[in-house]
Amino acid sequence: LHLRVWKVQQAFPNVTRDTRLQSPETIKAIDRLFVIIGTHVVPKILALLKRYAPKQLDMQLRTNRVVKHLLRNEFLLMPSLDFKGAFFCLAIKNGISEIIHIDWNNSLDTITWLIVLGE
C-alpha cells in the first residue's frame, strides 16, 4: 500500500491511487493516520535531517514547495498530505520483505526511513 504523493517513471507527481480510490470511511482513516504522523513523526524527522543531513533537507523542502504547487488542489482537499518535506510517501506492508533488497526507485543520495510497528 503506497499512500500520499509518489512519482516513479512519471513526469508529474500525483496522489497515489491507494490514497484516492478508497471508500469514504477508509479515506477518513487514512487522513487520521496522516494527521498523527504529521503531528508526532514529521517534526522529529525534520529535526534529524536539519542536524545530520541539512543538504538533503534543503532539497526535500524545495521539492515539497514544487509538489505543493503542482498538486495544490489535492492539498487543499486533504491538507494532511503535507508532511512538510520530511518525506512524500508511506509504503505500508503487513509482514516482512522475504528477501533483503535495494529499492532502486530511491535515490542513493537520500535517506529512506523504516519504521517498524508491532511485535
Side-chain angles (χ1 to χ4, degrees):
L1 185 63
H2 283 86
L3 301 175
R4 302 206 13 96
V5 176
W6 192 247
K7 179 193 169 296
V8 174
Q9 301 171 344
Q10 299 173 358
F12 194 82
N14 63 37
V15 176
T16 65
R17 189 175 348 163
D18 287 338
T19 304
R20 290 181 288 109
L21 300 180
Q22 301 290 343
S23 69
E25 297 82 23
T26 302
I27 289 175
K28 286 180 186 177
I30 291 169
D31 191 54
R32 285 193 306 271
L33 174 65
F34 289 171
V35 168
I36 291 167
I37 291 170
T39 301
H40 299 286
V41 178
V42 166
K44 291 176 175 73
I45 289 179
L46 289 173
L48 288 169
L49 288 170
K50 184 176 181 179
R51 181 170 182 172
Y52 296 107
K55 289 180 183 177
Q56 178 178 331
L57 176 60
D58 181 59
M59 178 186 65
Q60 288 182 209
L61 294 175
R62 285 184 282 127
T63 302
N64 193 56
R65 284 192 295 272
V66 171
V67 168
K68 283 176 62 175
H69 174 73
L70 293 173
L71 300 176
R72 60 190 163 274
N73 292 333
E74 288 86 347
F75 277 72
L76 284 172
L77 290 172
M78 194 175 199
S80 64
L81 284 171
D82 184 10
F83 281 161
K84 313 291 187 229
F87 47 87
F88 298 91
C89 186
L90 300 174
I92 299 172
K93 180 171 178 29
N94 184 12
I96 62 170
S97 181
E98 290 75 24
I99 56 173
I100 296 173
H101 68 283
I102 295 174
D103 187 343
W104 290 108
N105 292 322
N106 295 340
S107 169
L108 296 177
D109 295 326
T110 63
I111 297 171
T112 299
W113 299 96
L114 176 65
I115 301 171
V116 180
L117 304 174
E119 298 177 6

